[in-house]
Amino acid sequence: MEVKQMKIIGLTGGSGTGKGTVAARMRSLGAGWVDADAVYRGLCAENREMLDALDAAFGGVTDENGALDRPKLAKIVFSDPERLAELNRITTPYIRAASLAAIRAQSACPVVLYDAPTLFEAGADDFCDAVIAVLAPHDTRVSRIIERDGLSNEAARARIDAQPNDMFYREKCDFIIENNGDLDMLYRDTDALYSQLIK
């Protein structure tokens, strides 16, 4: 009997597009799932080597328990592109290694989704067999972010405007799922794509 090799499928797109809904649907169909943000949160809590490197680079960004003070670090890096690039330079190798280990741990699944908002920026597309982007209309995304994260209209729009536009994803991704707010249609499109991926 031929053993089918697991496929690693990148899942990306901006805030409020519905990546989580697509991931949950594919997981219900049998896909594995690794969330890059969750991997990073785990590293921030327990990877001493990475935390020491961040402390050295940004000066005292861990709390009295040795865990990363994420709000403090965010204040330093998000208004300064050079410091943000430095943060990414330090954390990306750790996130990559931990993500690949988590993906390999799910090798029994025919497809493992690697859910990463900054997949291309981190260079993680190079270990994916294909990449899916979930896109949604701008105003739909704004209202979803306001509802989900409790942000103001201005803050929600600023978050979206700071992220790559739809054309970025259309040019780089192998598959696009359009999420226009019709859940039945989103499920149909997701199911059809999943069938295609496991062939």
Side-chain angles (χ1 to χ4, degrees), residues 40 44 50 54 57-58 61 68 73-74 77-78 80-95:
Y40 178 57
C44 290
M50 185 184 90
L54 291 173
F58 298 104
V61 289
L68 185 66
L73 181 61
V77 301
F78 286 124
D80 185 339
E82 281 181 23
R83 301 310 302 270
L84 182 59
E86 189 177 0
L87 171 68
N88 290 335
R89 206 164 39 248
I90 293 167
T91 57
T92 295
Y94 292 99
I95 296 169

Side-chain angles (χ1 to χ4, degrees), residues 46-59:
E46 61 209 22
N47 189 296
R48 233 12 306 145
E49 190 183 323
M50 185 184 90
L51 292 170
D52 289 345
L54 291 173
D55 245 351
F58 298 104

Side-chain angles (χ1 to χ4, degrees), residues 14-16 138-163:
S15 295
H138 194 280
D139 287 345
T140 306
R141 292 173 62 192
V142 170
S143 49
R144 281 184 191 143
I145 294 170
I146 291 170
E147 192 178 326
R148 185 188 68 198
D149 300 339
L151 296 182
S152 67
N153 191 296
E154 291 75 16
R157 288 182 186 279
R159 180 184 293 182
I160 290 172
D161 292 343
Q163 295 173 348

